[in-house]
Amino acid sequence: MKRSAQLLELDKILAAASSYAVLDESKAAILALEPTADLAEAKTLLQTTEEASHLLFTLGVGRVEYFPPRGDILERAEKGATLSMAELLDCARMLRSVRVLHDGICSLADESIVLLRSLAERLTYDRRLEEEIGRKIVNEDTLADTASEKLFSLRREIRQLGERIRARLAQYLSGDEKKFLQDGIVTVRGDRYVIPVKAEYKRSIRGFVHDRSASGATVFIEPEEVLEMNNELRDLIIDEKEEVERILKELSHAVGRMRPALELSLLLVSEADTFFARAEYAYSLKAAKPALNAKGIVDIIKGRHPLLDAAKAVPVSVSVGEKCRFLLISGANTGGKTVTLKMCGLFCLMAACGMFVPAAEGTRLSVAGVFCDVGDSQSIEENLSTFSSHIVNLKRILAEAGEYSFVLIDEPGGGTDPEEGQALARAILTALMRKGCRGIVTTHYTALKEFAYETEGFENGSMEFDAEDFRPLYRLRIGAPGSSNALAICTRLGLPQGTVEEARSYLSEGARTFEKTLRAAEESRVKAEEVRRETEGLKAEWEGRLRTLEGEEEKFRKEREKFLSGAKAEARRIVNERTAEAEELLLRMQELFAQETLSESDLIQARTLRNTMQRGTMSEDEAPVRAESVDSARLSVGQRVHVGSMNADGEVLSVNPNKQTAELQIGSLRVKASFGDLFTVAGKSSKEKGKEKDRVTVTRDLSSRSEIRPEINVIGLTVGEMEPEVMKFLDSAVLANFSEVRIVHGMGTGKLRAAVHALLKKHKRVESFRLGKYGEGESGVTVVTLR
């Protein structure tokens, strides 16, 4: 399939995917990928890519840490070579990368990660060696003082001795010898401390000359007084270098001992990196995992060629290999036939490489082998014309393709006489059909379109074309052939109209009739499709509105039920209060009349109790009466009316018939109200109407929602003490119209929580309940949703 991969530009897809790899080895491995024809292997590759995607974008783990190419570092370490500090740091990066990948995957409890977990479990690393290298080596040129006790001691002695030498030489800089010096500094030549002396005074300072400046004006002399100290310093520096070499050698040997296991682990890390790169590339394409088969079935749903601009590409759906074995696509030039054909083949190759494809869920692809002859394959080196090169490709396909192979041919029989070309194309397709192949073919030949109509296993398809604007729509329609529209496209591209008309006159009568019929059918189909889309749009819009109305209706029903329930509960509470008050008054009256003799004070107390009972009940005079709308024609100043929106009575001060409003005096307020909001009260005497002006109506708001908190704490209560408290709390919450409340019962032994839950299950106003989430108190709190 190498030639097919080249023609379908798989290399560009692999290059794009490799850019997401972290390691250089992974990038090279992706670029070298070859599609597999083994169904089980292809499914395993896709499953691994799916696991990598789940790790990256759902679980947030799986990124491979970078380490530089290892080259021959491990091999040299195994053979006993001492690695440099920079090379050892690279080894530490390798060990860390292996460890991070292993721990990141193996620490997860997600059972969907199977293949990558198996890979991670094969990784070998040495955390102690990784940390030891990081602790002992500061950077590529420096070993830490604490790398060993001996190194620490040597460097401390070197620093102390160096300070003593500099202190002694400093005396030259400030003493009588200062006049002999070129500069007032102490310098180092060959690991030995020296002072810069003017050349003419070199014999004035006793010591050894180590160097001379380029101009000859300065000589660098080591005074005799520091000779022994410099010798001692030199010995210490040699000891330090030997200790550094020993430490590096020890670390190198440790790396060399684990070379075989580490080499395998690095290969596995690189392999994992290739799958993470495929997953990231799929995410960038918004690609989906296809279902695979080995029977030549290709069913693409809303596919987009990955090399096209995703914002501009028109999704195409293609189905071949199941209901029909070969799909013959026709239609206008530049209409997208070749792109669609190449997309189908490229998708199969991508899937065979373990890559997702930019299509919708449910896409099915074949990995039974892809063969294609696409584009102009003219070869100057092989002295082949376009026609000859196509024949060479078709010969290879006929020889190598087998049952269920997926074959793609772009305009077979082109580049020669049309009559012979279409005959050759028909023969080739018949031969491929006999071999059991599946595939897609593009053509402009009318005879091939008719052949597809007549032959079982073939199906016509066409790329849609806007006959009014003479532009392709890049949509594939299965079931009917398409017109080439070559002359229409020539007109759009600016060819002189006279030339186009003359060309049209040369067409045979049959060709003109066929093209005209195809165009008419296409125009009718496009119009029908537009009507269908518009109808579906309206249907979806009204279905959305209906769902919204149903949601509002359900919301209103629940609010109504809650309101009625609250009103009933409030009514029961008021009745119970009044009943209790009446019973108390009756009891007190019975106690009075139970006495043998009644005093004057007893009679006064009895009358007082009677009056109290009468005030607590509604007299017949205060019974509600039916309200009727006022007659606007008879409405007059001074008339008493009832204002419905304010539920209060008032006196008419003025009437405005034009605006249908009246100004009213309600208590101390002056308000305006429309005629429609004014009512008369029937059944009242004129005397009572006169008294209404002086009557004051007092109402009592029994709602106490503001005093009720949506939470109760029952920690410390027994089960018997808790139940009445919770029941009272729930009733108050229902009256206050709370939709959600919290019961704090604590964690403890769980006995109190179980009792609370048992009580909630029996309560009629409890719709559901759950334990608190993180930040809500978790299992120490139960959150209750009320009806």
Side-chain angles (χ1 to χ4, degrees):
M1 291 191 287
K2 288 185 178 180
R3 181 170 180 80
S4 298
Q6 180 183 0
L7 293 174
L8 296 175
E9 301 179 290
L10 178 64
D11 57 329
K12 295 182 179 179
I13 302 300
L14 296 179
S18 69
S19 66
Y20 291 92
V22 174
L23 306 176
D24 296 341
E25 292 180 7
S26 308
K27 296 179 187 291
I30 293 175
L31 292 173
L33 281 175
E34 292 186 5
T36 179
D38 183 86
L39 179 61
E41 182 181 357
K43 286 184 176 180
T44 300
L45 292 174
L46 276 180
Q47 178 63 32
T48 311
T49 302
E50 184 177 37
E51 290 184 12
S53 180
H54 184 58
L55 282 170
L56 285 175
F57 304 113
T58 303
L59 303 177
V61 298
R63 292 296 301 160
V64 171
E65 290 202 6
Y66 175 79
F67 57 84
R70 58 185 179 276
D72 62 347
I73 293 178
L74 300 180
E75 182 181 358
R76 289 192 293 109
E78 186 183 35
K79 291 180 178 179
T82 300
L83 303 179
S84 68
M85 296 182 199
E87 290 172 333
L88 284 169
L89 286 175
D90 287 345
C91 291
R93 293 189 187 99
M94 297 176 196
L95 291 168
R96 174 178 171 79
S97 183
V98 174
R99 176 178 60 82
V100 168
L101 182 62
H102 174 276
D103 293 350
I105 296 177
C106 293
S107 63
L108 297 173
D110 195 320
E111 295 181 358
S112 65
I113 308 301
V114 178
L115 299 174
L116 284 176
R117 186 188 301 279
S118 175
L119 181 149
E121 288 173 347
R122 296 163 59 195
L123 297 175
T124 303
Y125 61 91
D126 187 337
R127 183 164 189 165
R128 183 197 61 78
L129 178 58
E130 172 200 336
E131 292 176 349
E132 186 177 4
I133 294 174
R135 186 179 67 254
K136 291 183 177 181
I137 301 177
V138 177
N139 54 46
E140 295 181 355
D141 303 310
T142 307
L143 202 66
D145 292 349
T146 55
S148 72
E149 291 184 6
K150 183 177 180 181
L151 183 63
F152 181 82
S153 176
L154 286 170
R155 287 184 173 175
R156 182 180 59 189
E157 291 182 31
I158 289 171
R159 286 192 296 271
Q160 291 174 349
L161 186 55
E163 290 173 0
R164 285 166 50 201
I165 294 172
R166 285 193 296 272
R168 178 64 190 90
L169 293 178
Q171 295 176 4
Y172 284 88
L173 303 180
S174 59
D176 296 337
E177 295 89 349
K178 180 179 181 181
K179 59 185 177 183
F180 304 135
L181 304 183
Q182 189 71 267
D183 297 307
I185 59 173
V186 176
T187 185
V188 177
R189 285 292 187 274
D191 293 334
R192 302 181 78 88
Y193 285 94
V194 296
I195 54 176
V197 180
K198 296 176 182 178
E200 60 269 26
Y201 296 118
K202 64 181 179 181
R203 298 190 183 278
S204 301
I205 303 293
R206 293 177 60 83
F208 295 90
V209 176
H210 282 277
D211 200 358
R212 184 171 58 186
S213 65
S215 64
T218 304
V219 292
F220 298 94
I221 297 177
E222 178 186 4
E224 288 182 347
E225 296 180 43
V226 297
L227 176 62
E228 287 302 322
M229 287 191 289
N230 268 332
N231 288 339
E232 186 181 352
L233 180 63
R234 179 66 177 167
D235 288 340
L236 290 173
I237 290 174
I238 291 173
D239 291 342
E240 179 201 19
K241 288 182 178 179
E242 289 177 353
E243 180 63 11
V244 168
E245 185 69 17
R246 185 193 67 78
I247 294 171
L248 296 180
K249 189 176 186 65
E250 185 180 273
L251 294 174
S252 300
H253 287 175
V255 171
R257 283 194 298 271
M258 67 175 304
R259 178 207 170 185
L262 185 56
E263 287 273 14
L264 175 60
S265 296
L266 294 178
L267 289 175
L268 293 174
V269 170
S270 178
E271 181 182 351
D273 189 29
T274 65
F275 287 105
F276 289 125
R278 291 173 190 156
E280 288 201 65
Y281 181 57
Y283 184 82
S284 70
L285 290 178
K286 297 181 180 178
K289 177 187 175 185
L292 300 184
N293 66 86
K295 296 185 177 181
I297 298 174
V298 174
D299 184 13
I300 298 174
I301 304 172
K302 295 182 179 180
R304 295 174 284 102
H305 196 292
L307 297 180
L308 295 179
D309 184 352
K312 298 179 181 179
V314 178
V316 177
S317 296
V318 183
S319 182
V320 64
E322 193 168 28
K323 294 181 180 178
C324 69
R325 288 169 55 182
F326 270 90
L327 178 63
L328 196 73
I329 303 178
S330 54
N333 290 305
T334 71
K337 299 189 301 297
T338 303
V339 172
T340 301
L341 178 141
K342 294 176 77 171
M343 178 192 73
C344 295
L346 181 59
F347 277 12
C348 292
L349 296 179
M350 290 175 65
C353 290
M355 304 177 73
F356 290 4
V357 296
E361 294 286 347
T363 292
R364 296 181 292 166
L365 299 172
S366 173
V367 293
V370 177
F371 298 88
C372 70
D373 177 51
V374 180
D376 187 354
S377 302
Q378 182 173 253
S379 174
I380 297 176
E381 293 83 358
E382 298 179 14
N383 195 26
L384 294 175
S385 65
T386 299
F387 177 74
S388 300
S389 64
H390 280 302
I391 295 302
V392 170
N393 288 339
L394 292 172
K395 173 188 173 183
R396 176 181 55 82
I397 292 173
L398 288 171
E400 298 177 6
E403 188 177 11
Y404 301 127
S405 293
F406 193 62
V407 180
L408 305 166
I409 306 177
D410 189 22
E411 299 189 19
T416 188
D417 177 73
E419 190 70 23
E420 294 182 347
Q422 62 188 15
L424 178 62
R426 180 170 177 172
I428 290 171
L429 295 180
T430 302
L432 291 173
M433 178 70 81
R434 291 196 194 102
K435 289 174 73 70
C437 299
R438 272 75 172 161
I440 301 176
V441 178
T442 65
T443 188
H444 289 286
Y445 290 147
T446 301
L448 279 185
K449 301 174 189 177
E450 296 172 350
F451 170 70
Y453 264 129
E454 299 166 354
T455 308
E456 185 178 356
F458 280 84
E459 182 72 82
N460 272 304
S462 63
M463 302 305 296
E464 295 185 6
F465 186 81
D466 191 330
E468 295 182 0
D469 297 336
F470 302 118
R471 62 182 180 85
L473 300 176
Y474 306 108
R475 293 196 297 263
L476 177 64
R477 178 170 58 93
I478 307 294
S483 172
S484 296
N485 291 294
L487 298 180
I489 292 175
C490 290
T491 301
R492 184 171 71 89
L493 295 177
L495 198 67
Q497 187 64 31
T499 303
V500 174
E501 291 301 326
E502 184 175 354
R504 188 172 279 112
S505 67
Y506 294 148
L507 292 174
S508 65
E509 184 64 29
R512 285 199 296 269
T513 302
F514 183 77
E515 291 294 323
K516 185 177 180 181
T517 302
L518 282 181
R519 278 198 300 273
E522 179 66 12
E523 290 175 7
S524 299
R525 191 201 62 77
V526 169
K527 291 179 180 178
E529 184 68 18
E530 289 177 355
V531 172
R532 184 187 66 81
R533 282 197 295 268
E534 183 178 351
T535 303
E536 289 181 350
L538 290 173
K539 179 183 176 184
E541 180 183 350
W542 282 105
E543 285 178 347
R545 291 185 179 182
L546 181 59
R547 284 193 296 271
T548 302
L549 289 174
E550 289 174 349
E552 292 293 331
E553 182 181 3
E554 178 66 16
K555 182 178 178 182
F556 174 76
R557 185 186 65 78
K558 289 183 177 180
E559 290 293 332
R560 179 175 175 272
E561 289 180 357
K562 182 178 289 188
F563 174 78
L564 291 176
S565 176
K568 290 178 180 177
E570 178 67 9
R572 284 196 301 271
R573 189 187 66 78
I574 294 173
V575 169
N576 291 337
E577 282 186 0
R578 296 300 172 85
T579 302
E581 291 175 1
E583 290 176 351
E584 183 180 357
L585 292 173
L586 287 173
L587 181 61
R588 290 171 63 184
M589 291 179 69
Q590 288 174 357
E591 291 175 350
L592 287 174
F593 289 109
Q595 300 177 16
E596 294 182 358
T597 59
L598 295 176
S599 64
E600 184 67 25
S601 62
D602 291 335
L603 293 175
I604 294 173
Q605 186 177 359
R607 282 196 297 270
T608 302
L609 291 174
R610 184 198 64 182
N611 294 335
T612 302
M613 290 183 65
Q614 288 177 343
R615 286 197 300 270
T617 59
M618 183 181 291
S619 66
E620 294 180 1
D621 295 339
E622 295 170 329
V625 294
R626 185 172 59 88
E628 297 179 354
S629 298
V630 298
D631 185 352
S632 57
R634 297 182 179 181
L635 189 63
S636 60
V637 175
Q639 183 177 345
R640 297 289 295 178
V641 295
H642 181 76
V643 183
S645 59
M646 298 181 67
N647 192 26
D649 294 347
E651 181 180 343
V652 178
L653 300 178
S654 64
V655 179
N656 190 336
N658 295 328
K659 294 185 178 181
Q660 295 286 298
T661 60
E663 187 175 7
L664 307 168
Q665 181 76 39
I666 301 177
S668 61
L669 299 177
R670 294 171 66 94
V671 298
K672 283 187 178 181
S674 63
F675 289 171
D677 195 29
L678 303 181
F679 301 90
T680 60
V681 181
K684 291 187 177 182
S685 66
S686 58
K687 182 179 179 181
E688 290 172 328
K689 291 179 181 179
K691 291 181 179 179
E692 284 183 3
K693 185 174 181 180
D694 300 322
R695 179 179 299 168
V696 178
T697 302
V698 179
T699 60
R700 180 183 176 194
D701 185 3
L702 297 174
S703 174
S704 58
R705 174 170 182 169
S706 60
E707 301 174 2
I708 300 175
R709 296 181 64 238
E711 178 178 292
I712 183 173
N713 189 332
V714 296
I715 295 175
L717 300 183
T718 65
V719 173
E721 293 170 341
M722 172 274 297
E723 289 183 351
E725 291 295 326
V726 171
M727 290 295 290
K728 180 180 178 182
F729 168 69
L730 293 176
D731 290 341
S732 300
V734 169
L735 290 176
N737 286 331
F738 286 133
S739 60
E740 186 177 273
V741 295
R742 290 159 38 97
I743 301 175
V744 182
H745 44 66
M747 299 180 184
T749 62
K751 184 177 180 181
L752 189 59
R753 178 177 65 240
V756 169
H757 289 184
L759 182 64
L760 293 175
K761 290 178 182 178
K762 296 184 292 183
H763 201 286
K764 295 181 179 180
R765 300 300 298 171
V766 173
E767 183 173 316
S768 63
F769 61 89
R770 60 176 174 82
L771 289 176
K773 301 178 182 177
Y774 179 76
E776 293 181 333
E778 301 181 358
S779 60
V781 171
T782 295
V783 181
V784 184
T785 302
L786 299 175
R787 290 192 175 93

